[in-house]
Amino acid sequence: MLDHIFISVSDLTRSVAFYTAALAPLGIRDRVDYDGANGPPGHPDLKGFGCGGRIFFWLREGVVEGRAAHVGFVAGSQAEVNAAYAAAMAAGASDNGPPAARPYYDARYYAANVLDPDGYSLEFVYKEWQH
């Protein structure tokens, strides 16, 4: 099981605004700012996102690798997939696959794909059998 992930972004302010909007429809509304000075030498400042008191998705300013990462976010329904896709697009994402079934994975796999402002591949996914 994955506990957390860091991705580097080119503009923290822009990315915090983007992810705040894009992740809210999924219930990912908790936010934490971590001052890297409180960590070991060289630890970056971080902007964290999560829900239910668990922060699991972190942004740090740095070198952007764009499509080097693909992050899938769990949605609780097809409606949440649609809402997250719409919110991400309104916040500046680029379309990388509109909301629809993905039968090449499974007939019950419903997802939407976008590229964030730095080119990272994001997927909002509802897997009926996991709910």
Side-chain angles (χ1 to χ4, degrees):
M1 179 178 291
L2 188 65
D3 182 71
H4 63 274
I5 186 171
F6 292 6
I7 64 169
S8 297
V9 298
S10 61
D11 182 331
L12 273 173
T13 301
R14 176 185 71 182
S15 291
V16 166
F18 172 81
Y19 281 102
T20 297
L23 299 179
L26 304 175
I28 301 172
R29 294 186 179 96
D30 296 352
R31 278 268 303 109
V32 170
D33 292 335
Y34 178 79
D35 183 346
N38 294 327
H43 197 290
D45 292 339
L46 300 170
K47 306 295 184 181
F49 296 83
C51 61
R54 187 169 169 265
I55 305 299
F56 51 85
F57 184 71
W58 295 90
L59 306 176
R60 63 180 172 204
E61 197 148 24
V63 176
V64 172
E65 298 292 333
R67 293 197 183 199
H70 172 83
V71 181
F73 291 97
V74 174
S77 66
Q78 290 184 7
E80 279 190 12
V81 169
N82 298 343
Y85 175 83
M89 293 299 290
S94 299
D95 174 61
N96 198 29
R102 304 291 194 257
Y104 42 85
Y105 294 133
D106 186 282
R108 302 162 296 166
Y109 192 115
Y110 187 86
N113 299 78
V114 300
L115 300 176
D116 85 347
D118 284 308
Y120 289 109
S121 172
L122 308 178
E123 182 174 14
F124 310 116
V125 62
Y126 174 67
K127 297 176 180 175
E128 181 182 314
W129 68 94
Q130 292 181 340
H131 294 277

